[in-house]
Amino acid sequence: MKKIILKYYVVGLLVGSLTGCDFIDCDESSDYKKEDIFVSYERTKQMATHVYSFLPNGFCNIDGAMLDAATDDAVHVYRTSKIQRFVDGTWGANSVVDDVWSHFYEGIRAANLYLKEAEGLTFEDWKFNDNYEAWMKSFEYYKHEVRFLRAYYYFELIKRYRNVPLVDKVLSPEEANLVEPVSFEKVAKFILDECDELKNILPANFSNGFMDKETGRITRGAAMALASRLKLYLATPLYSSDSPEKWKDAADAAYEIIGQVSALGYGLSKYADLFDEDNNKEKEVILARPVGESGSFEQSNFPMGVQGGKTSTCPTENLVSAYEMKADGTPFDWENETMRKTPYTGRDPRLAMTIAYNGMEWPKTALQIWEGGANGLPLNNATVTGYYLKKYVNNDISFESGATVTKKHHNWILFRYGEILLNYAEAMANAFSPSYKDGDKYPISALDAVNELRRRSDVDMPSYPDNISKEDFIKRLKNERRVELAFEGHRFWDVRRWKELDKTTEIYKVQVRKDGTNMLYDKQLYDKRVVRDCMYFYPISNSERFKNTNLIQNEGW
């Protein structure tokens, strides 16, 4: 729905939320009252589109920071950002971060309202319009798309807050403030049941047989991808003791997409093409959230010393060290003198497509990140880790005087086929072994899946060895997931579902010094972060619990 998702904001259609918002009778821009919306196809379409507007994106969406800055993959350079609460021990029910409770319940409320009011509509007054049959064909799918969106918003809530209220009808503000939470498992079942139905209803795409040929709408693949991600989460230690059956369920959900990849129209793209202005058109992308034309992400992430750049997300040495050597797939080793002297030579190509480092030509000229260089300390707000972000940052944009390109389209990827391959590999290895195959049910192994990903054309990393042990495979797979999905919003949740938050406390940087014509690189400890067991889930804001005393605070908060 790229062409309409940002065009309409039917805010006035919200009739309160679980936070007890006031009833807003009509939209300020349209003057349409609620009862006027569902008499017209176009206005009803706007309401369906409005439900889409709650889809998240990770472009510096947490007080100017990316969520990755709350992981061991990145540091946010500005100490005043709320993102720092995630890592310095000041996070709590009175000082919440990424407070999306109200946001997603507003989306759920809008979905419930749409499903109630749009049921059975036929738009009889418009039946002699030339486009009537085409309208009705699209209209028939809107309710299914809205059901998916509601399920997805519940997934976003339970992975943060665990047990939450499950509401599938329109409530008054008074009723909303009395709802009680239900178990994580019950909400998860609701989501999976919805996905199970919707995958058999939604089309593979909206390109053929639809009047507008809209892109970005919810498809069959999106429903299957949400089920794959949720089932993977359910099998992992945060949610389950080691359960072969849950791992098999996760493998089944991922293979359902892999086995139909041609029919669904998916496949692996070039890695570099996944993060440019047209990434939503790539065959690998299952669902992306368009955010329109902008240069704000570039302003936030162009290096200090570049016109218009002010830094924001600084990748850590922890992440950079995770990229293997291109020749044989061995780990990078700071104790190896040859590697240390030229640390960015001969590495996994995804490193240079994700992170900007000293000497790289970015965005237009070679970066000088050494101490005293044009882009390094002690320049105010220069990178504190020795690195700048490159992924998703469009260097066609320039803020130099006279520049003609100051903004580009940005699309945040929510699901892509590469993740599905990783989901399958993780589930299969845990349920069976890295090399296990079983005829028609599991015709490819975990090894096959991860090696396919590593062999994409512009990455072409060596395959994992056939005789790799289960323990080593899972260790390497976690690393593979880290580098493949870096800065796509996964690491924060992965280390939680694996219950490995305690392994992310030490944050490393690289110090770069220039000695004549030589560059000297030194790995150093930058920070030690605060980690507590309660941090596996968010606290529910005390302001929400004041509105609804039936809400139960998560343990430790």
Side-chain angles (χ1 to χ4, degrees), residues 501-557:
L501 197 55
D502 60 327
K503 298 180 180 180
T504 67
T505 58
E506 294 186 346
I507 306 301
Y508 288 90
K509 66 177 183 178
V510 63
Q511 181 190 50
V512 188
R513 292 179 292 118
K514 187 175 183 181
D515 181 16
T517 59
N518 296 323
M519 291 294 172
L520 304 177
Y521 298 91
D522 184 28
K523 176 184 176 182
Q524 296 180 350
L525 183 67
Y526 171 76
D527 191 20
K528 288 201 72 170
R529 291 177 168 175
V530 177
V531 168
R532 298 191 300 271
D533 284 345
C534 62
M535 293 180 176
Y536 282 97
F537 292 101
Y538 285 16
I540 299 173
S541 169
N542 280 339
S543 64
E544 297 295 341
R545 296 184 68 231
F546 176 78
K547 296 169 187 174
N548 181 356
T549 58
N550 289 325
L551 297 178
I552 300 171
Q553 187 59 276
N554 283 317
E555 186 176 353
W557 296 108

Side-chain angles (χ1 to χ4, degrees), residues 188-375:
K189 184 179 185 304
F190 170 81
I191 297 168
L192 292 173
D193 286 347
E194 288 287 86
C195 290
D196 196 48
E197 282 192 37
L198 294 171
K199 72 183 182 185
N200 295 316
I201 299 172
L202 288 164
N205 60 68
F206 287 87
S207 298
N208 299 316
F210 290 87
M211 179 176 66
D212 296 327
K213 295 181 170 40
E214 294 157 330
T215 61
R217 290 176 64 175
I218 304 303
T219 61
R220 180 185 311 155
M224 296 161 75
L226 177 56
S228 171
R229 187 181 296 176
L230 178 51
K231 286 189 175 183
L232 184 73
Y233 278 39
L234 290 173
T236 45
L238 183 60
Y239 304 104
S240 174
S241 57
D242 192 19
S243 169
E245 291 307 311
K246 288 187 176 181
W247 285 118
K248 289 176 187 176
D249 285 346
D252 291 344
Y255 187 73
E256 194 165 13
I257 298 175
I258 296 168
Q260 301 179 55
V261 64
S262 297
L264 292 169
Y266 303 136
L268 292 176
S269 304
K270 287 187 175 181
Y271 194 75
D273 293 342
L274 289 172
F275 311 106
D276 62 18
E277 62 178 313
D278 296 318
N279 62 339
N280 60 327
K281 300 175 185 177
E282 289 295 323
K283 62 182 178 180
E284 184 166 339
V285 175
I286 297 172
L287 180 63
R289 203 295 193 193
V291 297
E293 273 194 315
S294 173
S296 61
F297 190 64
E298 285 66 29
Q299 286 179 319
S300 294
N301 288 289
F302 274 172
M304 293 302 297
V306 173
Q307 184 68 36
K310 60 180 184 179
T311 317
S312 173
T313 303
C314 301
T316 62
E317 181 54 44
N318 306 55
L319 174 60
V320 174
S321 291
Y323 290 85
E324 299 169 348
M325 302 306 294
K326 167 72 172 169
D328 54 11
T330 55
F332 177 82
D333 183 5
W334 275 100
E335 299 300 317
N336 182 306
E337 185 177 355
T338 302
M339 292 184 184
R340 187 176 67 251
K341 284 184 176 180
T342 55
Y344 314 119
T345 300
R347 303 288 293 277
D348 182 332
R350 288 172 292 189
L351 170 58
M353 291 185 261
T354 304
I355 296 166
Y357 46 75
N358 184 58
M360 173 185 282
E361 289 196 5
W362 181 258
K364 303 295 182 184
T365 59
L367 287 174
Q368 301 176 8
I369 301 180
W370 69 79
E371 292 185 356
N375 313 106

